Amino acid sequence: MTVASTVPNGIHELTVLDGSQSNRANLQLVFFYQTKNGNLRQQMSMRMRMAFYEAMSHYPIVYGKLQRQEQAVRVVVSDDSQDKLKPRYDEYDVTERVADIAAAHYNWALWPKELLSVCPVRPPYGSTAELPLMHVVMTWHPDGLGFLVSIDHSVVDGIGLGTIVNQWASIVRKGRILLPVDADHATVYQELVGSVKEPQGGWFYDYVDSLPEVEPAAIAGKKLDDNTAISDMDLRAPQQVELALRQNTHAMRMTPEAMKKLLDDSPQPASAIRLAYALLWQRYIAAMATSANSRDQMCLINVIHSSRHLVDRPCYVGNAVCPVYSQRALDDLLKSPISVVANDIGQNMHAVTGSQWLAFAQMLNDPVRQAKFYTIFANPSALQLTISNISRVPYFDVNFGFGAPSHVTLYPMVIPGFSAWLPLSPEGGLHIMWNLPERVFNVLKQDPELTRYVEVLF
């Protein structure tokens, strides 16, 4: 089928916010829908495909390929004449029932193989020129629908991908997009820079600067194992990396009732989400720490925030994220009540300020400081919890005309030491994907302080 496209040719410059030069992972969301209509594909297949390409025609950046220019500037070159670079769209009839997958808490062991067919790890930078930046896989089940949306993380983050998918659904349901189209990467970067007088990094950036310089030769020569963070210097094939990371990715959930109980049990006022941050941080560090760790060793928590609010562009489709760190000594963290830790997080982890964002942007602009930062950010053996919290993104609003999703999750591959928090249901709650060493996972699933509020699924 030929789909008309209004995509112009162009060069889209990526900013320092749009991932790192060693970013090899696609962002991949998976949606499941349960319906009583057994003829869903016959009724909706063509309509959904055409609506997808109509929605994507508003975002020409997804019709391109990544290139590196002088001074390590990265761009996406879009050319609508190159059909192989347009977003790929595959669909399959499958026999697996969504109801059976749901009964197993959406464990990917029961997913149709087609939903696991798009490897989320891209080849090392420089060999991706012929790969589309975006790929959709639809699986039509006897009792519903599943689909995976895979997109290069340099082009979009979790909030931006939520916007794109909602635009697609609104065309199917209403015949038009309902949200503003905003995908100008260079402009948002300029607006952010122009709105800030000076950077203010604080203790974390001083800590990064205090680290020894990273020797690329040493990194390239280190032993690669299942916990090695992916980078351009990782010589394993993408499929090897995927399988190594998938086996350590686990799922947990906090129901709205469990979050209310956590709030009710707190002796001090604190928000439910910060109490959840504190609980998982404390119990994770308790499981990670060994006798080799000093009791005054500093433990870190990193919650990745959006910076869209700084320029009032909530529908911006790009990668506008900034990490915000807090720290606490090991002994103090393990002995403190959860409510105290939560309020301490609250004092340090508010919305990203412009000065914080500029400090982060300047760090990523400096190759030496960037390399130091990534030794912290992607270090699975560190006493650190990293959280990408996209639980407030309206994924359950993605309605194509046959109801809200029954479940929204990530492809089962998360970077080591990293957790992603998604909405559990339209009513709230948390669905947590977490890459954990098996030793740590076995400790956590038997930890009564954790399982009082968090259900470990698999």
Side-chain angles (χ1 to χ4, degrees):
M1 181 183 72
T2 302
V3 179
S5 172
T6 60
V7 177
N9 299 340
I11 296 179
H12 309 268
E13 183 172 333
L14 300 181
T15 73
V16 294
L17 292 182
D18 300 311
S20 73
Q21 294 178 9
S22 61
N23 186 354
R24 289 178 57 194
N26 274 16
L27 175 61
Q28 298 190 312
L29 281 174
V30 180
F31 294 72
F32 285 99
Y33 296 78
Q34 281 188 266
T35 70
K36 297 180 181 179
N37 186 350
N39 297 317
L40 192 62
R41 179 170 187 177
Q42 288 85 339
Q43 296 177 11
M44 300 297 296
S45 173
M46 184 68 71
R47 186 174 170 186
M48 291 184 69
R49 178 186 286 265
M50 293 184 69
F52 170 77
Y53 282 108
E54 181 180 343
M56 293 312 104
S57 72
H58 294 279
Y59 299 96
I61 195 170
V62 301
Y63 282 77
K65 59 184 177 182
L66 282 167
Q67 286 186 357
R68 182 182 295 170
Q69 296 187 332
E70 293 181 2
Q71 299 179 340
V73 172
R74 296 191 310 151
V75 299
V76 173
V77 180
S78 62
D79 184 351
D80 60 357
S81 67
Q82 296 190 44
D83 189 64
K84 62 186 176 184
L85 290 178
K86 77 176 184 180
R88 183 173 169 180
Y89 191 103
D90 298 324
E91 51 188 329
Y92 305 91
D93 285 312
V94 299
T95 58
E96 291 86 352
R97 297 181 60 83
V98 177
D100 296 333
I101 298 172
H105 304 301
Y106 295 92
N107 190 323
W108 46 86
L110 276 73
W111 290 11
K113 65 181 184 302
E114 290 81 2
L115 277 182
L116 296 169
S117 64
V118 184
C119 180
V121 185
R122 299 175 74 83
Y125 195 89
S127 59
T128 61
E130 304 308 318
L131 293 178
L133 295 179
M134 190 173 189
H135 192 163
V136 171
V137 173
M138 310 285 293
T139 51
W140 300 96
H141 301 251
D143 60 343
L145 166 69
F147 73 85
L148 175 145
V149 181
S150 176
I151 190 166
D152 191 288
H153 212 332
S154 299
V155 175
V156 71
D157 58 18
I159 297 176
L161 187 51
T163 297
I164 283 180
V165 177
N166 267 297
Q167 298 280 49
W168 174 22
S170 69
I171 292 176
V172 175
R173 193 175 71 256
K174 297 286 189 179
R176 59 188 176 87
I177 59 173
L178 300 179
L179 299 171
V181 175
D182 185 359
D184 189 340
H185 290 228
T187 300
V188 74
Y189 180 71
Q190 292 164 4
E191 287 183 21
L192 281 165
V193 171
S195 66
V196 183
K197 293 182 178 179
E198 60 183 26
Q200 188 175 14
W203 69 268
F204 175 71
Y205 296 87
D206 294 337
Y207 171 59
V208 171
D209 289 337
S210 72
L211 296 174
E213 290 191 20
V214 180
E215 292 289 341
I219 296 176
K222 74 178 180 180
K223 180 179 181 295
L224 298 172
D225 55 32
D226 291 351
N227 286 326
T228 301
I230 55 178
S231 73
D232 284 345
M233 289 171 280
D234 187 336
L235 302 180
R236 292 175 296 177
Q239 289 77 13
Q240 291 178 289
V241 179
E242 176 191 0
L243 293 175
L245 297 184
R246 192 196 299 179
Q247 69 181 6
N248 285 338
T249 301
H250 299 278
M252 305 179 189
R253 71 180 177 192
M254 292 185 71
T255 64
E257 295 76 18
M259 295 191 72
K260 183 178 184 302
K261 176 175 172 54
L262 180 62
L263 192 62
D264 292 343
D265 289 348
S266 174
Q268 298 181 26
S271 71
I273 192 65
R274 286 173 180 165
L275 287 166
Y277 290 162
L279 174 66
L280 269 71
W281 184 27
Q282 185 191 73
R283 304 324 306 160
Y284 176 59
I285 297 301
M288 282 283 292
T290 67
S291 57
N293 295 113
S294 167
R295 306 314 291 177
D296 60 358
Q297 180 173 343
M298 299 309 295
C299 306
L300 305 180
I301 180 172
N302 165 29
V303 179
I304 299 173
H305 287 62
S306 171
S307 56
R308 287 168 174 77
H309 64 282
L310 295 173
V311 289
D312 192 27
R313 292 170 68 168
C315 294
Y316 171 61
V317 170
N319 200 347
V321 297
C322 179
V324 181
Y325 278 82
S326 187
Q327 64 177 338
R328 207 174 182 93
L330 174 59
D331 203 45
D332 184 30
L333 174 60
L334 298 185
K335 291 180 178 179
S336 296
I338 293 298
S339 57
V340 172
V341 178
N343 282 316
D344 182 57
I345 290 174
Q347 292 176 5
N348 292 281
M349 286 190 172
H350 38 73
V352 176
T353 66
S355 296
Q356 284 177 314
W357 172 84
L358 186 58
F360 179 57
Q362 289 185 352
M363 180 173 65
L364 291 190
N365 264 323
D366 183 329
V368 174
R369 300 178 74 210
Q370 182 195 78
K372 290 182 179 182
F373 167 69
Y374 278 105
T375 65
I376 303 170
F377 179 80
N379 185 348
S381 62
L383 294 184
Q384 168 185 277
L385 172 61
T386 294
I387 298 169
S388 178
N389 181 10
I390 48 177
S391 63
R392 294 182 181 178
V393 180
Y395 295 127
F396 282 96
D397 290 350
V398 180
N399 183 346
F400 292 93
F402 41 82
S406 58
H407 189 64
V408 182
T409 187
L410 290 180
Y411 189 95
M413 189 222 77
V414 183
I415 296 172
F418 198 95
S419 66
W421 298 23
L422 295 97
L424 179 65
S425 70
E427 291 73 38
L430 296 169
H431 168 58
I432 300 169
M433 302 281 286
W434 202 348
N435 190 299
L436 297 163
E438 203 61 25
R439 175 189 70 82
V440 175
F441 174 70
N442 289 332
V443 173
L444 285 175
K445 69 181 181 181
Q446 299 178 45
D447 181 351
E449 297 296 318
L450 179 77
T451 56
R452 181 179 298 139
Y453 306 102
V454 179
E455 185 178 356
V456 179
L457 302 177
F458 51 85

